[in-house]
Amino acid sequence: MHRTPSPRGPLLPPPNHGTVASTAAVAFPFRTARLSVIRRPTLICTGKIVLVTCLLALTYRYLTGGCNSTETTPNNPSSEPSPKASQSQSDMASSEYVTQSMAAKDPKHDPFFDLIMDDDLAKNQWPKQLTSHQEEGKKGKDVSLMGKVMTPELFNKLKDIKTKTAGWTIARAMNTGTCYQSSFVGCHAGDPESYEIFKELFHPVIEKYHVGYKLDGSMKHITDMDPDKLTVALKDEAKAKVFSSRIRVARNLNFFPLNPGGTVETRNQIADLMSKVFDSFKDSDTYSDLAGTFHRHTEMTPEETQELVDGHFLFRGKDKMQAASGYHRFWPKGRGIFLNKSKTFVVWVNEGDHLRIISMEQGGDIKSVFTRLSRAIKAMEEGVKKVTGRESVFASDPALGVITCCPSNLGTAMRGSVHIGVPTIASALGLAEIDKMARTINCQARGSSGEHSAIVDRVDISNWRRLGFTEYSLVQDLIRGANLLSALEDKFVSKEADASNVDQVLAQLMSDVTIAGK
């Protein structure tokens, strides 16, 4: 997770709603080379090397807990902790990871895709690099939430434990925040039981990220995606300024390890399973509008790749911090993207979490987008149950909500956003000030191309909260945030507000329940 807290995993916008990148791959002896589509010739190996010219659209970026399922996993039927992780760590095949010192000496190792371990963690030893981060943190520099929680004593207590589903260890869990000081969260789960077995790390991190939520047994997460419970709507003035709307959620199948702890086999099995589920939409009277095409990254033709790049739909795996968790191992095997015919329903398969389910459309009909998303999640859950014969398929927990790889997305695992044109306040106040205002009503503001981008012609406004809140209430957060920016823009345009009196104008706007709530 990067420094700005946000959902893990890039969310792909429709046209005029952010940007995206894609990758292609060429199989070379002994390794797979990953080539980003970045305005240069790209090679794709499909029996012979074909030269393709592709464009890179700008990219984006940004889930956890004990699983309530008793289903067995492909790796192991038990979730009890097993001792002697240090033995398994030292016995890891060299093909599974390389160390930072090894990668520094050999340029064939790609930090954007390969699992590269801190040298000490690879030996199951306390990492000197983390000690350095923690010392610098005392001086006001970056240190991850993991780094604020983890101590040598806690590491030594947990280092000889591994989970049976994925063989996940505390060393693997904390690798990202150890290797990258600017990582915001700094730790990942390799399977659902990681959150329980390593709760002495994960629970404090979760409470620090999801401020106000307590894991002392007093709180439960409630899921509710009923669009009819929305009581706030976009004002006409705000709707006129909205370019596009999207809402996405993450889901993980509770009978597989999470992808950081998964294998190329589990990734391929998930892709094969979802292909059958997507096919079932074609024969469904209820979900026929969701029917479409599943494109596997390893099977797409150059023409299909180009079309998805041009439409800003393809995701890429290229991210160092995510790679350090194991997200991008075996790229691009087991990855794929599904789009319905109208391209308003999109599913990313094994981008990070098993499934990233996205509903989107042009304009500001947020209720329509939320309604489609709710139906799509139900359709996919029913489809997986029918294909597998299982009664429970999505990983969840009564206290942690939806289980995801990164603790930041626990709870709803949902991010809803609109791209809204507010050029006057963007110019007068800047992104940092707009984001500060948005946080007062539980929203987050980003630049025109998502996290870590500047404002070009629009602002990305989204819900901020995740854990402990229902999905429909977070959609209402989003609506209020868009209404706020729209109203403030109108005040600036009419000269009723400027940078000198913005605080007073904001106080007046907060009396509106469509902005501040009840």
Side-chain angles (χ1 to χ4, degrees), residues 268-412:
N268 283 328
Q269 289 166 11
I270 291 167
D272 291 343
L273 169 61
M274 294 315 303
S275 180
K276 296 176 182 178
V277 173
F278 296 142
D279 283 344
S280 70
F281 296 159
K282 300 174 183 178
D283 302 320
S284 171
D285 295 333
T286 305
Y287 302 120
S288 59
D289 60 308
L290 302 180
T293 304
F294 181 41
H295 304 270
R296 296 186 187 236
H297 280 57
T298 52
E299 298 176 3
M300 282 187 288
T301 66
E303 293 76 18
E304 288 172 331
T305 299
Q306 186 65 58
E307 180 181 356
L308 293 173
V309 170
D310 291 343
H312 308 306
F313 290 109
L314 269 186
F315 65 89
R316 63 171 190 164
K318 190 174 183 179
D319 187 295
K320 288 183 178 180
M321 296 188 195
Q322 294 173 0
S325 75
Y327 266 41
H328 304 322
R329 295 173 67 202
F330 319 112
W331 181 271
K333 297 177 181 178
R335 274 73 172 192
I337 177 173
F338 173 84
L339 302 93
N340 72 338
K341 294 177 182 178
S342 62
K343 295 182 172 60
T344 55
F345 165 52
V346 178
V347 183
W348 291 357
V349 177
N350 290 325
E351 171 264 336
D353 291 292
H354 297 160
L355 305 171
R356 195 169 299 278
I357 308 167
I358 308 166
S359 174
M360 58 194 184
E361 64 185 60
Q362 297 297 307
D365 193 343
I366 296 177
K367 185 173 182 178
S368 170
V369 174
F370 187 47
T371 300
R372 183 187 306 110
L373 180 69
S374 181
R375 289 181 62 245
I377 294 171
K378 182 178 180 181
M380 293 182 67
E381 185 173 19
E382 290 176 358
V384 176
K385 287 180 178 179
K386 183 177 181 179
V387 172
T388 64
R390 295 173 180 269
E391 295 183 0
S392 170
V393 295
F394 288 153
S396 65
D397 177 85
L400 298 175
V402 172
I403 301 302
T404 56
C405 305
C406 181
S408 66
N409 271 342
L410 288 169
T412 60

Side-chain angles (χ1 to χ4, degrees), residues 397-438:
D397 177 85
L400 298 175
V402 172
I403 301 302
T404 56
C405 305
C406 181
S408 66
N409 271 342
L410 288 169
T412 60
M414 188 188 87
R415 181 177 185 266
S417 68
V418 300
H419 268 194
I420 184 169
V422 285
T424 308
I425 62 172
S427 176
L429 302 177
L431 179 58
E433 188 63 27
I434 292 175
D435 183 50
K436 181 180 177 181
M437 292 186 300

Side-chain angles (χ1 to χ4, degrees), residues 450-470:
E451 188 178 23
H452 301 155
S453 68
I455 298 176
V456 178
D457 59 347
R458 65 200 70 187
V459 171
D460 179 313
I461 184 79
S462 66
N463 63 290
W464 169 248
R465 302 181 292 186
R466 301 284 185 277
L467 182 57
F469 303 91
T470 62

Side-chain angles (χ1 to χ4, degrees), residues 248-265:
R248 64 81 168 156
V249 297
R251 291 293 186 270
N252 287 286
L253 301 170
N254 60 21
F255 45 97
F256 285 99
L258 301 177
N259 275 334
T263 64
V264 66
E265 290 81 12

Side-chain angles (χ1 to χ4, degrees), residues 156-175:
N156 288 329
K157 179 181 178 180
L158 300 176
K159 71 175 185 177
D160 292 327
I161 298 173
K162 66 176 179 179
T163 65
K164 287 190 175 181
T165 294
W168 199 244
T169 64
I170 198 66
R172 282 291 309 276
M174 60 190 283
N175 189 55

